[in-house]
Amino acid sequence: MSTISRNIHLALIGVFLGASGFCHAEPPTWFRWLDREFIKRIELNGYRRLGYHTYTVQGDQEAFNSLNLYGQGDRRFTDVGQTHLRGHNVLGFINFEAQILDSRFNDPQGQKFSIDFIRKGFAVNLGDIQGSLLNTNRFMTFSKTLKGGQVGFSSGHFQAKVLRSESKGSARTVVIPGNNSSGPYYLQSSQIIEGSEQVRIDDQQMQIQRDYTINYELGSITFINRIVSPTSSLVISYEALGFNSDPGLIQGGAVAYDFGRFGKIGLSAIQQRARGSVGLSQRTERFQGFGAPSTPYILQFEPLQNRPILIRVDGVLQTEGIDYIFDPNNASIFYFRRFVPPTSTVEVTYTPKPRETLDGGRDAFGIDYRIPLGSKGKNGELTFSQASGRLRSENNPLSGTARGVDLRYKAGIYEFTGSLRDVPEGYVSVESRGFNRNERAGDWGITATPTPYLSYGLSGSNSSVKNRSTAANGAFVFTNSRFTTTRGFATYQPDSGKSSWSLEETRTRSNFAGRSTELDSTSLSSGRKWKSFDLRFGLERQQGRGPVGDGSQISRIGINTARLNASYSPSQRFNLQGTGSISAIDTNGAKSSGRDYSLATTYRPSDKLSLIGSYALSDSGSLATLGQFQTGYGYGYDGNGFSSGSTNNGFLGATDYRNLQFNVQYTPSDRFTVDARVRRTTSSGSVSSNSQTTAYGLGASWDAGRGNQVALSLDRSATQFIDSPLSSSATTLDFFLNGAPPGHLSYRLGASLLLSGGNSQFKQDSASYEASLAYRLGKRHNLSMAFLSGRTNGYYPQNDFEASFTYQYQIYRNLAFNASYRLRKVLNLDPLLTTGAYRSSGFDFEFAFNFGGL
């Protein structure tokens, strides 16, 4: 238990006992129960600052608002900070969690509250929850991030569940063609709800961290040790958070009863309703400067293009096309055309683009029946599912009934799976992520496992898929397509998993709008583990015929790929990892190659010296721009009766990325550390800065003793834009001296210098100096003063001066009161510059709470 928690407990006990006249008595039984079951089961972490501010401002009010009071200079009262409240098994059965963040500049997914408990067969979830029904019917599976409540009940063979909630995000399934690189692949949505994604390459399920990494804010996926062939399709189902969109109301329920050997029956009903239009509102996001102009700034939502986008740097309004540019392939990314130091504040105000996907009210009702095979279902099960769904829409009303049967049967070393389903084009269900689609299909598969080390099998599918699109008049248009696949495989893992072999053959055939595709793929992979060495390799050959580019030309394509992964760790001081993939592409005699290499090493020859180096190259090859060679794996997913899709099936441009970096750190003593770093990055192609940046730096820190510390760093970066004569370079020098020697005084001195180069018109030179001094008046009283002075020359020249005087009183261990007087003056040196300059003075009064683990 923390000190503050213990003090509160003692204080409460003392107040009670003092009022009762029993100062030396034990706490009463009811208080010990309350302390054990309630107080000790709640955790509170974080901090808050509640402030009142009064200022006089002359000049650019917007610049003052951006650079002061945490970007909220227009507010008289402020509440900033982050607080996390958690209760575990409170009163024996209640769990809750709350995250309270700042209102303007934090992750929009961070604000959340949930409470749940399980009691006598009931399970209740309220607040921000992961909503689901019993999901016994394959056509009505539902799993979505919600804001509301759900209640489940279970007793013996009976189960029931109901929910009513707003949807926090829109469920989407998109299809993106591979471009012969590891990525990144962009999902056409930003702010992906964390953990909601399901990723497939063709028909293979991918796992996060093992197969890919994801940037949830940007909405991009990068694969690990794998390039995605241009003959492959990425199918990704996810939820995207909406800012200016109608969340919709979802409500439904399900019941199920298990009759034992006579089977299990389930009933499900669910509906989704729009709740009226939502007005457009603006959003403001802040960044510190990212340095070199090759570094992207990523907005949390895609901006609405017909609304103004305002970008300020240190309060100065920037001009699109001159000071910054947006990426032509991803509207959530922009780049500055000059070096922006980390000491600068970048503020972006924009209107997020609505992500409305609900095209009308949806209703679905289903029944399912599962029959166990063998004693207690040990041989498998047979399941019948049926569901009726309807879309309530004036323009595109739809309705239909989906039916299906699924079989899983196991006998000895063999296991058989089979499925038949008929999901007509008019069937719709409530929007949910997943890989259901409108189709008539049959799947089958048989697997044999004669020994724990050997398995082999054969599977196939035949699907008639309904592809939905929207015509110019808003009406739905359905196009038929056919997709068939046959797959055979064998795996062998002797030596208790130390080595492995895998062989796979896949044949796919498809037809879409009269255009047919054929593709045959053969792959062989193997791996071996030794004590300190791990080696894995793979070979793949693909031969096919089908449309490429815009689909007007039928071409023959061949791709041969080799992959190698290796790691060597003879000791804890040395580690070497390498990956490599190379692809040879042949399209009608035109040849190209794609490469993806990486090498990383860590070496610590002693406790005082460490060296880290890495090199990465990813070049998709020129023929990766052929376009999607549609094998059929992606048919019918991007827009169907189960989830919404995208109007744009990804970006097909080639990519070329190279990065070399090296870091050295030397610590000759416990009080002195020096480090050196060098990096060279080249990026070109689709969704890229199309530039080359070379950067290097040197830093040192020294503990001078008696509470005094010195730090110095020198960095330089140079950026050359590809296919452009423009170049930019920057040299920065930072020096800091701070200390808290014995006595009442503590101090901090700092200086920063920026020198720009290159041949662009955006060169800036700047110098800034800061100093602060604090004096401890008493045990709970502190007095401090701080000064900051800076000057910028060249592009957007300014002078900046700030002074502050603060008195702090510690009311209690974790509670302080601060009173400050601040003076700031920003002066434009360019007479043509009309934004960014102001003069302000005023007072701040703040209560600061630091919960720290109560």
Side-chain angles (χ1 to χ4, degrees), residues 668-710:
S669 69
D670 295 338
R671 297 172 57 179
F672 183 71
T673 299
V674 61
D675 64 274
R677 50 203 172 270
V678 62
R679 173 177 59 89
R680 185 167 189 174
T681 301
T682 304
S683 179
S684 63
S686 175
V687 193
S688 167
S689 61
N690 289 290
S691 63
Q692 181 181 86
T693 296
T694 302
Y696 52 86
L698 180 67
S701 61
W702 177 45
D703 184 353
R706 296 181 58 83
N708 300 289
Q709 294 180 326
V710 182

Side-chain angles (χ1 to χ4, degrees), residues 600-614:
T601 182
T602 301
Y603 180 47
R604 297 179 63 245
S606 68
D607 294 337
K608 297 181 178 181
L609 179 64
S610 65
L611 302 94
I612 300 175
S614 66

